[in-house]
Amino acid sequence: MKLYTYWRSTSSYRVRIALALKNLDAEHVPIHLVRNGGEQHAEAYRAINPQERVPTLELDDGAALTQSSAILEYLEETYPTPPLLPADLTQRAKVRAVAAIIGSDIQPLHNLSPLTYLRRMLGQAEPEVSAWIATWVGSGLKAIEALIGDGPYCFGDAPGLADVYLIPQLYAARRFDVPLDDYPRIRRVEAEAEGHPAFVKAHPANQPDAE
């Protein structure tokens, strides 16, 4: 498999964690989202991912999977051990809810495209952009803090799908200087993940294209 990725992309980060948790190897193909106007817009990459975003997971048969949520579902269904979702259906729904808060409500609002639009098209200065990011990250994390358990991970003793989403989001929160002091459960999960080999392997700082 090939993973088209960018070291600082939280969506790519999710997929890297899942691959590592499932002990799967994928050749990393870096796609720089800023250099030369964004390598994701190049014709060669657009032929692989028409949305011109990362990540893309190219399978051994050449099929290209896009959108991190769809890729994670594919990995879970194709390689079910170790599982990212609990067996209990109610718990599965709770795990998916946390993932959805991050994947649908938080991360899209601080993605490169909307931030570029805020700056260039709406003329917003950096203080306003920072306030925008802090508002949506903060509201989402407040909900997650109330939804997750007492650990060590979001829903138990082993990392799962909620943690796969949460840890990259915390990386982004720290990158944008969003305070995390009010979220002790979330910070506990972060501390636990810092020592897990899969999360260490997937961390942006440990990627070959890291700057």
Side-chain angles (χ1 to χ4, degrees):
M1 295 187 289
K2 291 182 180 179
L3 179 65
Y4 294 83
T5 179
Y6 179 57
W7 68 283
R8 207 163 60 180
S9 158
T10 54
S11 298
S12 298
Y13 191 176
R14 295 171 199 156
V15 175
R16 294 197 304 263
I17 294 171
L19 287 167
L21 285 171
K22 291 182 176 292
N23 298 306
L24 297 172
D25 291 323
E27 176 189 350
H28 285 201
V29 183
I31 301 294
H32 201 291
L33 300 186
V34 181
R35 183 184 299 139
N36 300 322
E39 294 177 353
Q40 72 274 23
H41 303 307
E43 182 178 351
Y45 185 68
R46 189 166 60 248
I48 298 170
N49 186 332
Q51 196 180 13
E52 303 175 26
R53 293 188 177 184
V54 293
T56 300
L57 184 65
E58 186 176 291
L59 306 181
D60 292 340
D61 63 3
L65 306 182
T66 63
Q67 287 290 333
S68 63
S69 58
I71 294 170
L72 292 171
E73 288 181 17
Y74 169 84
L75 292 175
E76 180 70 354
E77 292 168 354
T78 309
Y79 307 97
T81 304
L84 298 179
L85 289 166
D88 181 80
L89 296 182
T90 301
Q91 283 297 106
R92 281 189 175 217
K94 291 181 178 181
V95 169
R96 284 179 167 133
V98 169
I101 289 172
I102 296 169
S104 299
D105 298 338
I106 304 178
Q107 188 264 335
L109 294 176
H110 67 68
N111 207 1
L112 179 63
S113 298
L115 296 187
T116 300
Y117 191 88
L118 284 172
R119 292 178 177 117
R120 295 182 182 175
M121 303 302 293
L122 300 183
Q124 297 300 301
E126 288 309 306
E128 286 72 29
V129 173
S130 295
W132 167 277
I133 294 169
T135 295
W136 303 119
V137 173
S139 64
L141 292 182
K142 182 179 179 180
I144 291 170
E145 177 73 12
L147 290 171
I148 64 176
D150 292 319
Y153 291 98
C154 287
F155 292 97
D157 295 334
L161 187 69
D163 308 282
V164 166
Y165 274 82
L166 179 60
I167 295 305
Q169 185 57 60
L170 298 181
Y171 171 81
R174 293 190 181 281
R175 176 187 163 205
F176 293 124
D177 296 320
V178 178
L180 300 177
D181 297 342
D182 293 338
Y183 315 119
R185 286 177 169 175
I186 285 174
R187 286 187 285 109
R188 180 210 66 230
V189 174
E190 182 183 42
E192 190 71 25
E194 284 178 351
H196 193 294
F199 290 89
V200 172
K201 181 179 181 180
H203 193 279
N206 297 325
Q207 304 314 301
D209 58 326
E211 298 174 359

